Amino acid sequence: MTVHYNCAKCKDRLCIHKVPIFSSLDSEDLRKIMGLISHSEYKKGETIVFEQEEPDSVIIINEGSAKAYKNTADGREQILYVFSEGDFFGEQNLFTGQPSTYTVEALQPVKICKLSRKQFQELLYRFPDIAVKIIVELGNRMTRLENALQSIGVRNVDNRIGIILLEFAEKYGTKNEKGTIIHLPISREGMANYLGVARETVSRKLSQLENEGIIQSLNNKEILIPDMDRIEELAGV
Amino acid sequence: MTVHYNCAKCKDRLCIHKVPIFSSLDSEDLRKIMGLISHSEYKKGETIVFEQEEPDSVIIINEGSAKAYKNTADGREQILYVFSEGDFFGEQNLFTGQPSTYTVEALQPVKICKLSRKQFQELLYRFPDIAVKIIVELGNRMTRLENALQSIGVRNVDNRIGIILLEFAEKYGTKNEKGTIIHLPISREGMANYLGVARETVSRKLSQLENEGIIQSLNNKEILIPDMDRIEELAGV
DNA sequence: CGGACCATTGATAATTGTCAAAATTCGTGG
DNA sequence: CCACGAATTTTGACAATTATCAATGGTCCG
């Protein structure tokens, strides 16, 4: 992990510009906040926050993506979130003082911005709008969790595969004339841990979908979806 | 559903006293807020909020309990929360303006307190502490959801049964000399929908646990647990 | 006491997990 | 740019678990 203070590179790509919770502030205020922020970089596979650790700052992802997971009783890891550019975490611990409930690990080289507890709390007092923004963002994240819980509770694994493909298509998809290409942020094993099924089951289901012409595997990290409607059908929407 | 305004009964059992988000207010302020609140009652099985409906108020459970669930693609219901005395919901929709993401249905006769959108927002401006309290409470609920996601992702159903028993023991358990008695808020089918398994599987697993002497079924709604340690072992803690 | 509802049990089918081996992909260094 | 080895993914065979269907047994109320 590498730490930069007032990293010059970030001056033109203000990380806080990307964060919805700061969106109500004007450029002047943003510039002031910028001075408070410290930057770090992590290599792929490095851990940003450990479960049970007490983080003392809010962390905003500026570049790259990271997975948040918990270890289950049977020794696997259950992925809770895949954070990418603009997502933040650690805010909960600042209020409750409780240790992190999950581990966050870089899936790619990751650049983050850090705001300390004290600075963050000052911001909340100075800009009350931010608190409301946070409530909204937490609400959104809860909705996502509720959906995940719903889909993982669906016994039909085919549906779940469809749901995860829809989610990733929206977050990591690009469209071209042949359809939508999903740039998967996680491996097959990661998908399995996200879905709560075995690695091999994911392989089999994806192969099956490929045979049916619903998807086309370009390489391990890219999937082409010619017709998104068929995925929605699969997901049971 | 029956509506009371300024219901006399509640005067001595102020529902808002039970709600953590109002805990920073003094009696004087609470009394003022009381005037803003309307009360309703629901019979068992009645729906308090429908999925897709746009609720215009925060609802606080004053007595009884309720389940929040979504209908899954394969026609089952996935229970997300079991709300009981002091829990609140509907706050998210007030900020985002989005329809409810789940249905809430009374599991028993339920008494609720209602605070309209406008009144709630006024409160937030007047008592900024409440916003922080809400962030904390949402954080707690997220942690619960994350745990649920983790446990439902555990492939081992025995573990999951253990986890749900621990959760209910904490929330709905009473202790006596023989051990802990859990007063189940939901039926076997409810437990199945909470766990994402078939009704019959819950029955079988519970029977198995009874044969092993780990639990003792007193009646359909009460389970005696002589030794909680064995449940924790089951849950894989 | 009777009926409606809920829970249990049994038998069987379907699904998924596990283990082992083969195939593919990826990254690195020549 | 290619080749090699490591890592990941896919596939196959089989075992284990759970869902489903059907029937029986209980329990709670009026």
Side-chain angles (χ1 to χ4, degrees):
Chain A
M1 164 186 142
T2 322
V3 182
H4 305 273
Y5 287 93
N6 296 319
C7 145
K9 260 199 237 166
C10 300
K11 291 252 164 71
D12 25 275
R13 302 187 69 214
L14 293 176
C15 53
I16 50 179
H17 260 135
K18 300 176 185 168
V19 184
I21 60 171
F22 294 134
S23 65
S24 62
L25 308 183
D26 61 28
S27 297
E28 175 68 13
D29 290 328
L30 283 178
R31 216 180 330 259
K32 282 181 198 152
I33 293 174
M34 272 308 291
L36 306 173
I37 287 179
S38 75
H39 301 265
S40 310
E41 293 181 15
Y42 293 82
K43 297 198 191 90
K44 174 181 169 176
E46 281 189 311
T47 298
I48 303 171
V49 175
F50 287 93
E51 186 171 352
Q52 298 300 348
E53 178 188 328
E54 275 190 45
D56 58 351
S57 45
V58 174
I59 293 169
I60 300 161
I61 302 229
N62 190 27
E63 206 178 304
S65 60
K67 64 178 174 183
Y69 66 90
K70 294 164 85 83
N71 288 108
T72 65
D74 54 351
R76 293 180 16 267
E77 64 181 44
Q78 177 66 47
I79 296 179
L80 299 171
Y81 306 98
V82 177
F83 292 127
S84 53
E85 218 174 279
D87 286 328
F88 65 94
F89 57 90
E91 80 296 338
Q92 189 195 336
N93 317 101
L94 296 192
F95 295 110
T96 63
Q98 286 175 345
S100 175
T101 51
Y102 44 73
T103 299
V104 181
E105 184 186 313
L107 290 167
Q108 305 154 25
V110 162
K111 293 183 183 170
I112 62 161
C113 300
K114 255 176 147 171
L115 208 52
S116 78
R117 175 201 298 257
K118 204 175 144 204
Q119 291 161 347
F120 186 58
Q121 286 182 342
E122 278 171 14
L123 277 185
L124 283 189
Y125 276 92
R126 220 171 115 198
F127 305 104
D129 271 356
I130 292 180
V132 172
K133 285 265 164 53
I134 288 176
I135 292 176
V136 170
E137 173 57 26
L138 289 182
N140 289 338
R141 210 175 282 178
M142 279 183 74
T143 300
R144 219 228 92 236
L145 270 184
E146 288 162 0
N147 286 334
L149 193 57
Q150 174 190 31
S151 67
I152 215 168
V154 174
R155 298 199 272 278
N156 188 334
V157 175
D158 292 299
N159 282 4
R160 291 201 239 167
I161 296 268
I163 292 167
I164 200 179
L165 287 178
L166 282 182
E167 188 182 328
F168 285 155
E170 187 170 333
K171 221 170 164 186
Y172 306 105
T174 55
K175 283 181 193 170
N176 70 12
E177 67 283 356
K178 286 182 185 167
T180 304
I181 294 177
I182 300 178
H183 305 266
L184 294 172
I186 50 182
S187 66
R188 292 301 130 96
E189 180 159 18
M191 288 175 71
N193 290 336
Y194 199 49
L195 292 170
V197 299
R199 193 166 70 250
E200 294 92 330
T201 303
V202 174
S203 275
R204 274 185 254 270
K205 294 293 181 187
L206 290 180
S207 299
Q208 191 184 322
L209 290 179
E210 187 150 18
N211 289 337
E212 293 169 11
I214 296 177
I215 68 171
Q216 195 180 328
S217 179
L218 303 178
N219 57 52
N220 280 344
K221 286 286 161 70
E222 289 180 315
I223 292 177
L224 170 65
I225 298 181
D227 182 3
M228 199 56 84
D229 289 347
R230 296 190 66 182
I231 300 293
E232 294 194 351
E233 203 177 308
L234 182 73
V237 177
Chain B
M1 164 184 143
T2 323
V3 181
H4 306 275
Y5 287 94
N6 297 317
C7 144
K9 261 201 236 165
C10 299
K11 289 250 161 76
D12 25 276
R13 302 186 69 213
L14 291 177
C15 53
I16 52 179
H17 261 137
K18 300 176 186 168
V19 184
I21 59 172
F22 294 134
S23 65
S24 62
L25 308 184
D26 61 27
S27 295
E28 175 66 12
D29 289 330
L30 284 179
R31 214 180 331 260
K32 280 182 202 154
I33 292 174
M34 271 310 289
L36 305 174
I37 288 180
S38 74
H39 301 264
S40 312
E41 294 180 17
Y42 292 83
K43 299 198 191 89
K44 176 181 169 178
E46 281 189 310
T47 298
I48 302 171
V49 175
F50 287 94
E51 187 171 351
Q52 300 301 347
E53 177 188 328
E54 274 190 45
D56 58 352
S57 45
V58 174
I59 292 170
I60 300 162
I61 303 229
N62 190 28
E63 207 179 305
S65 60
K67 65 179 175 182
Y69 66 90
K70 295 164 84 83
N71 287 307
T72 65
D74 54 352
R76 292 178 20 264
E77 65 181 45
Q78 176 67 44
I79 296 181
L80 299 171
Y81 305 99
V82 176
F83 292 127
S84 52
E85 217 174 278
D87 287 327
F88 65 93
F89 57 90
E91 80 295 339
Q92 190 197 335
N93 318 99
L94 296 193
F95 294 110
T96 63
Q98 286 176 347
S100 175
T101 51
Y102 45 72
T103 298
V104 180
E105 183 187 313
L107 290 167
Q108 304 153 25
V110 162
K111 291 183 185 172
I112 63 161
C113 300
K114 255 177 148 174
L115 207 52
S116 79
R117 175 200 297 255
K118 204 176 146 204
Q119 290 161 348
F120 186 58
Q121 286 183 340
E122 277 171 15
L123 277 183
L124 282 188
Y125 276 92
R126 217 170 118 198
F127 305 104
D129 272 356
I130 293 180
V132 172
K133 286 266 163 53
I134 288 175
I135 292 176
V136 170
E137 172 56 26
L138 289 183
N140 289 338
R141 209 174 283 179
M142 278 182 75
T143 300
R144 222 229 88 236
L145 271 184
E146 288 162 0
N147 286 334
L149 192 57
Q150 173 190 31
S151 65
I152 214 169
V154 174
R155 298 198 270 281
N156 188 334
V157 174
D158 292 300
N159 281 3
R160 289 202 242 166
I161 296 271
I163 292 167
I164 200 179
L165 286 179
L166 281 182
E167 188 182 328
F168 284 155
E170 189 170 332
K171 224 172 163 185
Y172 306 106
T174 55
K175 282 180 192 168
N176 68 12
E177 67 282 357
K178 288 183 181 165
T180 303
I181 294 176
I182 300 177
H183 305 266
L184 295 173
I186 50 182
S187 65
R188 293 302 130 95
E189 179 158 19
M191 288 175 72
N193 290 336
Y194 200 50
L195 291 169
V197 299
R199 191 167 73 248
E200 296 92 331
T201 302
V202 174
S203 275
R204 274 186 254 269
K205 294 291 180 189
L206 289 180
S207 300
Q208 194 184 320
L209 290 178
E210 186 149 20
N211 288 336
E212 293 168 9
I214 296 177
I215 67 170
Q216 195 180 327
S217 180
L218 302 180
N219 57 52
N220 281 344
K221 286 286 161 70
E222 288 181 317
I223 292 177
L224 170 66
I225 299 181
D227 183 3
M228 199 56 85
D229 289 349
R230 298 190 66 184
I231 300 292
E232 294 194 352
E233 205 177 305
L234 182 73
V237 179

